[in-house]
Amino acid sequence: MSADTLPIRPFTQPVRVAFSVPGSKSITNRALILAAMCNQTLTLRGALFSRDTQILCEALKALGFSVDANAAQSTIALTGLGGKIPRASAEINVGNAGTAARFLTAFLTLHPAGTYTLDGDPAMRKRPMKGLMDALKTTGATFTFHGEPDCFPFTLHTKGWTHCTALEVDARASSQILSALLMVAGAQPHSVAVKLVGKTVSEPFVEMTLQMLTQFGATFTQPESGLTTFAGTSQLQLPSETYRIEPDATAASYFLSLPMVAGGKVILPEGEQITLQGDIDFLKPLAKTGLTVAKANGHILIEQTKESFEPVEYDFEAISDTFLTLAALSPLLSGPTRITGIGHTRHQETDRIRAMANELQKLGQMVVEEPDAIEIHPDLAELYARADASKHCGRLLCVDTYEDHRMAMSFAILGSYDLLQDGQPWLQIRDPKCCGKTFPSFFQHLEQLHSLPEMNIEFLLIAVDGGAASGKSSTSRGVAERLNLMHVDTGSHYRAITFECLKNGIAADAPEKVAAFLKTLSLDTQLVGRTASIVTGGHLPEPEALRSAEVNQHVSAFAALPCVRDAVKGYQRSQVAVAQENKYVGLIMEGRDIGSVIFPEASLKIYLQADEATRSKRREAEGQSDTIAQRDRIDSTRKTAPLQVAPNAVIIDNSTLSLQQVIDKIATLAIPLCKQA
Ligand code: CDP
Ligand code: CDP
C-alpha cells in the first residue's frame, strides 16, 4: 500500500458522542478581511487553522499587517488599519484557496497606488475570476495577465475606491466574487451600490457576508433584487474586542452523518447557534433519509432510529459543499439519490460532479451524470462484492480525491461503515492530506471517535481541560453531583508530587532526581465524597498544603517534566476502574491534557476558558496568591502534553456565565450520551 493512502477503520459499535469541529473557513476568512479594514485589534476566537486560512494570514502579513495566530488556543489577533494597506507592493500566492483569491484581489484595490503580483496553484489558475476583475476595473484598477487572460497569475495596479460609487458584477460562476466586492464596498465611507448582473449561486454565502458586514457596523438597503446599496460608514467596527467564529457547518456534515454508518447518536453542541452558515441546512436532506434530527437546549441531536434509509431527491444549490457528503453515502440508501442544482461545483477544487461519478462507479454504483445534477442508483451488493474480492487479493478499494478535501472526507464516512462486518478496513482514501485545506485534523477527529467500546457503551467519560482558574474543578464537581459521576482533579496529582518533591528538597531543575524519587513514591486513591483523591506515599495530602503559594509557584515546572507525566498517566487512566468498582455511571476528569492525552476517546470533551482578568479576580476572591499567566504560559508551551483545545472538544467561554449555567450546559450535553438515555 503506498504511503499516500489511508485505510479507514469501520465503526463496529454505535457512536455516542458530542463533538465539536474547528471554526468555519468561510467565516474565518471573511472575519480576517473585515478585521483588517477595522481600526482596532480584534481577536478571532474559535478560528480555523488550515491551509486556506493560513494563506490569507500570510498574505495579510506580507502586506504589513500584524497577525498573531495561536493554533493551540484557536485564536488569531489582527490589527486593522481602518482600510489602509501598509505595503504598496507585494507578491502573494493564494494556493488553491478560492476565498483568499477573491477576497484578497478585491481587498488590494483599496490601496490608492498599489502594485501587487498574485499567483495560485495550477488548479487555481483555472478557477473563475473574470467577473470580479471586470467589476474591479470600475475602481480604476488594471490587470496585466501573465498566463491565460482573466486568470492567475496577474499583476494588479490599484487606484483606491474614492471615486467608485457604483459597480456591476457578474457572479454567476461563484458567489465568492460577489462576497469579495460586498465586503470592500461595505467598508467605504461613501455610499456604494453593487449591482448583480444575472443571478449568483450559493446565496447563503452572500447572506453570510451581509450579516457579517452588519455585525461590523455597515448598513445597506436592497431596493430591488440583485442591488445592494451601502449607506457608507465612517469606520467598520465591532462593539467588542473579540469575534467568535462559528464551528464549520460543512465540516460538521461528515460527523452528523455518522449514525447512518455506525448507528447510535451524535450531538452537535450549541448547533442551533450556527446562524451564519447555510450549510447547517444539510440536516434537511439528512432527515429525509430517516435519521432522527432533534433539538434540545440549543444542541442538535442526530440519531439512527430506523434500520434502512430512504432515497432522497434534493436541490443542493444553496448547500452545494455538502452534496458530496450525501452522494458518498448513497450506496447505503434504499433507493436512488438525486442531487440537483450543483452545476457550479464543476468549477470548484475539481469538477466535483465528475469526480463523484467516477469514484462511485469504481465502487460499483450506477451513476447518471447531468450538467448540473447527479443521480446514483445504489447497489450495496455490488459494493460488498468488490470490497470482498479486493480483500481476497489482499487489497482495499481505493478512492481518488482529486486534491479535493471534500471528496476525502465524504468517502471517509462511507469507509466508516462496517461493510464486510469484520471491523476491518475495506476502503482507503488517496492523498488524505488534501483535508489540510479546511480541516487538517479531520482523520484524527474521526479516529478519536472510535471510543473504547466497553467504555463508550457502559460508561460515561467526560474530559474537562482549561487554563488556571477557568472553573474546571468547581464545574466538574457540579456535573459529577448532577449525573452521579466520580470526579478526578488531576491538578491535585501534580500538586501532590510537587509538594512531596519540595518536602524532600528536590527541585524541578534536577529531573533525574525527580525521576528517581518518583520510583519510590506510591500513588493510591481515596474517595472523599465523590472525588477520588490521590494518596502519595501512603498519605492523603492536606488540601491547604497543595494550594500553598510555594506549590502554586513550582507546580507547572514539575508538571512539564516528562518523568512526572509518565508517572501519573497510568495512574490517571486507572481511575476508570476505581469509578466502576465504586458503581459510578461515569467519570469526569479535569486538567490540561485529559481530552488530548489521557482520554482522547472520551464521549464528551470540554475546554473551559475565561478571560485573564476574570480568572485573576476569581483567585483573588478565594484569597489565593497565584501566578495564573505564568502557569498558563508554561502549561501551553511545554513539549509534553501542552494545554491545548483537544480535537472534538466543545469550547465553553464562561467569563460571563455563572457556575450553575456552565454545569447546566455540560449536563444537557452529557445526559443524552448516558447509556440509559
Ligand atoms: O486549579 P488550577 O487550574 O489553578 O490548577 P490545577 O488544575 O490545580 O493544576 C496545577 C498545575 O498542574 C497546572 O498549572 C499545570 O501545570 C499542572 N497540570 C498539568 O500539567 N496537567 C493536568 N492535567 C493538570 C494540571
Ligand atoms: O479548577 P480551576 O482552577 O479551573 O477553577 P476553579 O477552582 O473551579 O474556579 C476558580 C474560582 O472561580 C472558583 O471560586 C469558582 O467558584 C469561580 N468560578 C466562577 O465564579 N464562575 C464560573 N463559571 C466558574 C468558576
Side-chain angles (χ1 to χ4, degrees):
M1 197 176 304
S2 74
D4 68 347
T5 58
L6 183 73
I8 303 300
R9 178 149 73 107
F11 283 81
T12 54
Q13 299 279 350
V15 283
R16 194 171 57 110
V17 75
F19 68 94
S20 196
V21 290
S24 153
K25 175 197 73 169
S26 307
I27 299 178
T28 303
N29 274 358
R30 278 170 177 75
L32 284 169
I33 292 288
L34 292 169
M37 295 190 292
C38 288
N39 201 5
Q40 68 192 103
T41 298
L42 201 58
T43 301
L44 311 184
R45 279 186 189 266
L48 173 67
F49 280 75
S50 76
R51 210 176 303 140
D52 278 16
T53 59
Q54 196 183 357
I55 284 170
L56 190 48
C57 284
E58 291 304 323
L60 289 168
K61 277 191 209 161
L63 292 169
F65 286 93
S66 151
V67 182
D68 183 9
N70 180 334
Q73 302 293 318
S74 311
T75 58
I76 305 175
L78 177 88
T79 305
L81 298 170
K84 295 203 172 50
I85 299 177
R87 302 223 170 104
S89 66
E91 285 190 16
I92 292 171
N93 194 306
V94 298
N96 192 14
T99 47
R102 277 90 185 217
F103 298 174
L104 269 175
T105 303
F107 175 73
L108 290 170
T109 60
L110 281 173
H111 198 288
T115 301
Y116 304 102
T117 301
L118 283 83
D119 198 359
D121 288 355
M124 191 70 230
R125 291 179 178 187
K126 297 200 184 86
R127 294 177 67 177
M129 289 292 290
K130 182 172 176 3
L132 179 62
M133 294 168 167
D134 285 346
L136 289 172
K137 287 176 192 163
T138 317
T139 68
T142 56
F143 294 85
T144 311
F145 299 104
H146 307 305
E148 297 295 313
D150 302 311
C151 291
F152 286 96
F154 58 81
T155 299
L156 165 65
H157 296 278
T158 67
K159 289 271 188 293
W161 275 60
T162 329
H163 304 294
C164 180
T165 54
L167 35 77
E168 292 196 346
V169 55
D170 179 344
R172 274 173 292 196
S174 164
S175 65
Q176 289 170 2
I177 290 175
L178 178 57
S179 287
L181 278 179
L182 290 172
M183 282 194 282
V184 180
Q188 297 308 313
H190 55 271
S191 166
V192 184
V194 180
K195 171 114 180 92
L196 182 63
V197 183
K199 268 177 71 75
T200 186
V201 286
S202 312
E203 297 239 352
F205 283 103
V206 179
E207 217 23 63
M208 171 192 285
T209 306
L210 290 172
Q211 283 189 47
M212 287 182 68
L213 273 162
T214 306
Q215 291 170 337
F216 278 78
T219 52
F220 60 88
T221 54
Q222 293 191 305
E224 60 187 72
S225 167
L227 179 64
T228 306
T229 304
F230 291 96
T233 167
S234 56
Q235 186 60 68
L236 282 192
Q237 199 165 343
L238 264 195
S240 124
E241 288 169 3
T242 60
Y243 184 84
R244 176 103 189 106
I245 309 284
E246 295 179 357
D248 193 297
T250 325
S253 75
Y254 309 111
F255 298 107
L256 295 173
S257 313
L258 259 188
M260 195 188 290
V261 300
K265 58 185 145 189
V266 297
I267 304 179
L268 180 60
E270 316 239 28
E272 281 196 281
Q273 283 183 15
I274 296 184
T275 56
L276 292 173
Q277 299 168 79
D279 278 359
I280 195 66
D281 277 349
F282 178 67
L283 289 169
K284 291 179 183 162
L286 211 52
K288 279 177 176 271
T289 68
L291 283 173
T292 302
V293 178
K295 296 183 175 169
N297 289 320
H299 309 311
I300 294 175
L301 286 77
I302 318 285
E303 190 169 5
Q304 188 226 323
T305 47
K306 294 187 191 140
E307 280 305 312
S308 86
F309 300 101
E310 302 295 317
V312 175
E313 177 168 353
Y314 200 84
D315 181 346
F316 270 72
E317 175 174 340
I319 55 169
S320 61
D321 275 345
T322 63
F323 100 77
L324 300 92
T325 319
L326 181 67
L329 294 177
S330 60
L332 305 180
L333 304 188
S334 61
T337 300
R338 184 169 168 75
I339 294 171
T340 57
I342 52 172
H344 60 283
T345 69
R346 289 187 182 276
H347 310 287
Q348 294 184 324
E349 276 78 346
T350 183
D351 177 340
R352 286 181 159 166
I353 301 182
R354 170 58 51 84
M356 196 34 94
N358 281 348
E359 297 312 301
L360 285 167
Q361 278 161 349
K362 268 169 46 186
L363 298 180
Q365 310 303 296
M366 217 281 273
V367 183
V368 182
E369 193 187 329
E370 297 170 29
D372 70 345
I374 188 169
E375 192 170 296
I376 305 121
H377 296 259
D379 191 341
L380 194 57
E382 180 60 24
L383 181 61
Y384 181 94
R386 292 190 185 199
D388 196 45
S390 288
K391 187 180 156 188
H392 281 106
C393 305
R395 289 200 314 264
L396 303 179
L397 297 178
C398 185
V399 164
D400 285 308
T401 48
Y402 308 78
E403 294 184 32
D404 186 349
H405 52 138
R406 305 223 174 277
M407 287 289 287
M409 295 190 275
S410 302
F411 278 103
I413 301 301
L414 179 67
S416 300
Y417 177 64
D418 193 13
L419 180 66
L420 301 178
Q421 300 202 335
D422 59 0
Q424 297 301 314
W426 55 275
L427 188 72
Q428 58 183 331
I429 304 291
R430 178 124 31 226
D431 186 22
K433 287 208 177 67
C434 66
C435 294
K437 188 174 196 319
T438 56
F439 198 163
S441 57
F442 172 79
F443 286 103
Q444 196 187 351
H445 269 60
L446 188 60
E447 185 56 30
Q448 292 197 349
L449 294 181
H450 285 275
S451 310
L452 294 180
E454 69 276 21
M455 213 174 251
N456 194 24
I457 301 303
E458 302 294 345
F459 191 77
L460 180 66
L461 189 55
I462 306 181
V464 179
D465 291 299
S470 58
K472 299 179 299 298
S473 300
S474 16
T475 308
S476 301
R477 273 197 300 270
V479 174
E481 199 66 48
R482 178 85 64 85
L483 302 179
N484 188 27
L485 311 176
M486 189 176 93
H487 163 237
V488 181
D489 164 8
T490 61
S492 69
H493 304 166
Y494 298 96
R495 289 176 180 275
I497 286 172
T498 304
F499 174 74
E500 292 289 346
C501 284
L502 295 175
K503 196 171 76 182
N504 287 280
I506 300 167
D509 58 9
E512 59 300 333
K513 285 194 186 154
V514 177
F517 174 68
L518 286 177
K519 287 211 173 78
T520 67
L521 189 70
S522 62
L523 302 180
D524 298 295
T525 304
Q526 183 176 329
L527 272 171
V528 180
R530 57 179 62 254
T531 295
S533 298
I534 193 165
V535 176
T536 42
H539 306 290
L540 182 68
E542 293 294 331
E544 298 74 36
L546 297 188
R547 294 219 156 252
S548 70
E550 199 188 10
V551 170
N552 275 347
Q553 195 190 335
H554 295 286
V555 60
S556 290
F558 279 97
L561 299 178
C563 67
V564 172
R565 304 212 77 86
D566 281 350
V568 295
K569 187 170 174 183
Y571 171 76
Q572 288 170 353
R573 285 190 67 88
S574 75
Q575 297 301 300
V576 171
V578 176
Q580 287 173 335
E581 277 157 23
N582 287 282
K583 307 280 180 256
Y584 285 103
V585 299
L587 167 66
I588 184 164
M589 185 176 280
E590 35 123 350
R592 302 293 188 287
D593 60 340
I594 311 308
S596 55
V597 175
I598 305 299
F599 290 124
E601 69 272 38
S603 296
L604 175 59
K605 299 182 209 170
I606 303 288
Y607 188 87
L608 291 180
Q609 60 185 194
D611 53 54
E612 203 176 306
T614 308
R615 294 190 287 137
S616 297
K617 272 200 210 108
R618 287 176 184 171
R619 277 289 181 262
E620 275 165 32
E622 292 174 327
Q624 272 202 58
S625 127
D626 202 347
T627 49
I628 288 179
Q630 185 197 335
R631 278 203 291 136
D632 275 3
R633 198 176 51 251
I634 302 177
D635 293 346
S636 53
T637 54
R638 68 185 176 214
K639 284 212 175 67
T640 318
L643 170 63
Q644 58 179 308
V645 181
N648 298 331
V650 180
I651 301 177
I652 300 179
D653 189 316
N654 60 27
S655 307
T656 58
L657 296 177
S658 72
L659 199 51
Q660 211 47 50
Q661 284 173 314
V662 185
I663 293 169
D664 286 348
K665 253 184 202 295
I666 298 177
T668 48
L669 277 178
I671 287 167
L673 300 174
C674 290
K675 191 191 173 202
Q676 297 86 340

